[in-house]
Amino acid sequence: MPKLYRDIFQKSVDSVREEGRYRIFRDIRRKKGAFPQAIWYHDDHQEKEITVWCSNDYLGMGQNECVIEAVKAAVDTAGTGSGGTRNISGTTRYHVQLEDELAQLHQKDSALVMTSGYVANEAALSTLQKILPGLIVLSDEMNHASMISGIRNGRCEKHIFKHNDMDDLENKLKSLPIDAPKLIAFESVYSMDADIAPIETICDLAEKYGAMTYIDEVHAVGMYGPTGGGVAEARGLMSRIDIIQGTLAKAYGMIGGYIAADSVIIDAIRSLASGFIFTTSIPPSTAAGALRSVRVLKMTPEKRTQHQDRANALKTRFRNAGYPFIDGETHIVPLMVGDPVKCQAISDRLINDFGIYAQPINYPTVPRGTERLRFTPSPFHNDAMMDDLMAALDIVWAEFGLERQKVA
């Protein structure tokens, strides 16, 4: 590679470093049966035991024995890779069963499994413009990058409404032609700010102005509702949502994404979405593990209850200690730092000296000036782990001169 090109690449990396938002990938190995414990490899392969506080495997299902058994059994039965795209040779019995299960979970006719939640969003949203010429998309300003990418790649007219601001959404809907096809795209749980969309009001506005609804439930499937169908299920609103998108990579502990909808919608996207058509399907063992995980979480609502209890326990500790965190209504607990350099330094100090892994979240994931440590307590984060975390934060927070609120 000519030096000129290399220098340009290096300059781009140096720019990120100078802003204090260079991302460090921790080299960890989870310990089977001991979630959230893990081994961290650092400094020439030295090993250190750590407690993971930032995993999106919210319920530890990636360590669940029933799920592990399903994965192993599928490998023994069908081997490893799927063998191709879904059309060529990559549709197995496991994929078909998983899609049937997901359709039932969301009370829809059909579901379509893709290789990731990102791909599911990008493929579905970019394809809707092909299906509905002249489509106008109204998108929440805090939507996932995958949703933004899909809408952009669809090259349709788009309007961004203020986060969870229903007055702004309605004003934008009012300004659009009555007969134009419209889609409102939003999330249920916004994972960085720990808030939930006003789903019922969005559905009301969609019906009033003739729009379709598209909800991203990736941080909610498995976590909310009687059977884990997400916030829409918890609030009895699934029948009012046209397209539900979810992931198998968070609460279900696997990998992959999907959409669930009316069969004609699924068939149209299946037939036209490049991100689906030209991608090798997830392995049979992954589909089998996801299928088992969905079924287990359908039948064990107590896991969701335990999880909410643990999240509330951490919030109570943060609240009582005066820490500046987003005290939202979800299972996610963002601790606000507001400075990228300090955020990374605090994360380094926690893992190096206390064996606590909490990865910093900075721009472009969140706006500049709102850098944070995002804690995701699971049913397996016990009181002793929380005591250790609070003791470590007490030391580190003071060292970096960060403020805490006085507690009455």
Side-chain angles (χ1 to χ4, degrees):
M1 177 172 59
K3 184 176 182 301
L4 171 64
Y5 297 146
R6 192 180 194 288
D7 288 346
I8 293 172
F9 282 107
Q10 188 61 55
K11 185 178 179 180
S12 68
V13 174
D14 291 343
S15 176
V16 172
R17 285 185 183 276
E18 288 168 7
E19 290 184 40
R21 59 184 185 91
Y22 181 76
R23 300 184 180 210
I24 297 172
F25 295 169
R26 307 292 188 190
D27 182 358
I28 69 170
R29 187 188 74 224
R30 302 202 299 176
K31 297 171 68 174
K32 178 177 173 290
F35 183 82
Q37 303 295 330
I39 301 296
W40 174 41
Y41 295 87
H42 64 106
D43 299 334
D44 295 324
H45 304 290
Q46 292 186 51
E47 298 183 12
K48 183 181 181 70
E49 289 202 9
I50 61 171
T51 301
V52 178
W53 278 94
C54 51
S55 175
N56 282 346
D57 186 359
Y58 293 131
L59 301 175
M61 292 301 288
Q63 305 283 304
N64 183 279
E65 284 294 338
C66 290
V67 175
I68 293 170
E69 284 178 11
V71 172
K72 288 180 176 179
V75 170
D76 290 340
T77 301
T80 54
S82 66
T85 64
R86 291 289 299 277
N87 177 58
I88 294 175
S89 61
T91 296
T92 71
R93 183 60 187 157
Y94 302 101
H95 293 84
V96 173
Q97 288 179 304
L98 176 58
E99 287 175 342
D100 287 346
E101 192 73 29
L102 291 168
Q104 293 174 34
L105 175 69
H106 294 293
Q107 299 170 19
K108 299 297 183 186
D109 294 340
S110 301
L112 188 66
V113 171
M114 304 190 206
T115 51
S116 72
Y118 191 106
V119 171
N121 266 335
E122 203 283 332
L125 287 166
S126 65
T127 303
L128 288 173
Q129 168 67 10
K130 299 177 186 177
I131 301 167
L132 298 167
L135 177 67
I136 301 171
V137 176
L138 298 102
S139 175
D140 189 290
E141 66 178 343
M142 298 300 289
N143 277 344
H144 276 129
S146 55
M147 300 176 75
I148 295 169
S149 177
I151 294 166
R152 181 188 300 119
N153 291 340
R155 298 181 182 179
C156 57
E157 181 181 341
K158 65 177 183 294
H159 297 268
I160 311 302
F161 61 91
K162 295 176 183 176
H163 180 51
N164 283 348
D165 187 329
M166 296 298 95
D167 290 335
D168 189 41
L169 174 58
E170 182 162 23
N171 286 335
K172 286 179 167 55
L173 284 164
K174 282 180 182 177
S175 71
L176 301 176
I178 294 175
D179 58 349
K182 295 175 281 289
L183 176 81
I184 303 173
F186 62 102
E187 299 177 32
S188 57
V189 172
Y190 287 86
S191 66
M192 292 302 156
D193 292 318
D195 56 348
I196 293 176
I199 302 173
E200 185 170 11
T201 304
I202 290 174
C203 291
D204 291 342
L205 290 174
E207 291 175 5
K208 182 177 180 180
Y209 293 97
M212 293 177 64
T213 48
Y214 182 107
I215 189 171
D216 175 319
E217 288 252 45
V218 299
H219 290 281
V221 290
M223 309 287 294
Y224 298 88
T227 65
V231 178
E233 183 193 27
R235 299 184 177 181
L237 298 169
M238 284 198 294
S239 64
R240 300 183 67 187
I241 304 292
D242 293 300
I243 303 173
I244 296 175
Q245 183 265 352
T247 185
L248 305 169
K250 293 180 170 61
Y252 294 121
M254 297 300 297
I255 186 68
Y258 64 88
I259 57 172
D262 184 282
S263 59
V264 70
I265 294 175
I266 296 297
D267 203 20
I269 292 174
R270 182 185 72 89
S271 301
L272 295 170
S274 295
F276 171 76
I277 295 170
F278 299 109
T279 302
T280 298
S281 64
I282 60 174
S285 56
T286 299
L291 174 62
R292 180 69 60 84
S293 188
V294 172
R295 286 176 173 172
V296 168
L297 287 181
K298 274 186 175 181
M299 299 183 294
T300 53
E302 63 273 13
K303 291 183 183 293
R304 288 181 280 282
T305 301
Q306 293 164 1
H307 185 257
Q308 290 295 325
D309 174 73
R310 292 287 79 198
N312 289 331
L314 183 61
K315 291 177 192 177
T316 298
R317 289 170 187 252
F318 278 5
R319 195 181 302 118
N320 292 341
Y323 284 111
F325 74 103
I326 298 178
D327 196 354
E329 55 183 321
T330 75
H331 57 282
I332 298 164
V333 190
L335 180 61
M336 307 304 291
V337 177
D339 179 280
V341 175
K342 287 184 178 180
C343 202
Q344 181 64 63
I346 291 171
S347 174
D348 292 343
R349 181 89 159 83
L350 287 173
I351 196 168
N352 278 306
D353 298 331
F354 301 97
I356 291 170
Y357 176 31
Q359 188 75 345
I361 306 294
N362 52 35
Y363 179 83
T365 306
V366 296
R368 287 185 173 90
T370 68
E371 291 80 11
R372 65 201 66 181
L373 298 173
R374 176 180 173 274
F375 291 90
T376 53
S378 75
F380 303 97
H381 284 88
N382 57 38
D383 286 342
M385 293 174 184
M386 291 193 182
D387 290 342
D388 290 342
L389 171 63
M390 298 305 293
L393 282 175
D394 190 49
I395 295 169
V396 176
W397 209 255
E399 284 181 357
F400 286 90
L402 296 172
E403 294 183 0
R404 287 158 67 171
Q405 300 169 352
K406 292 183 178 179
V407 181

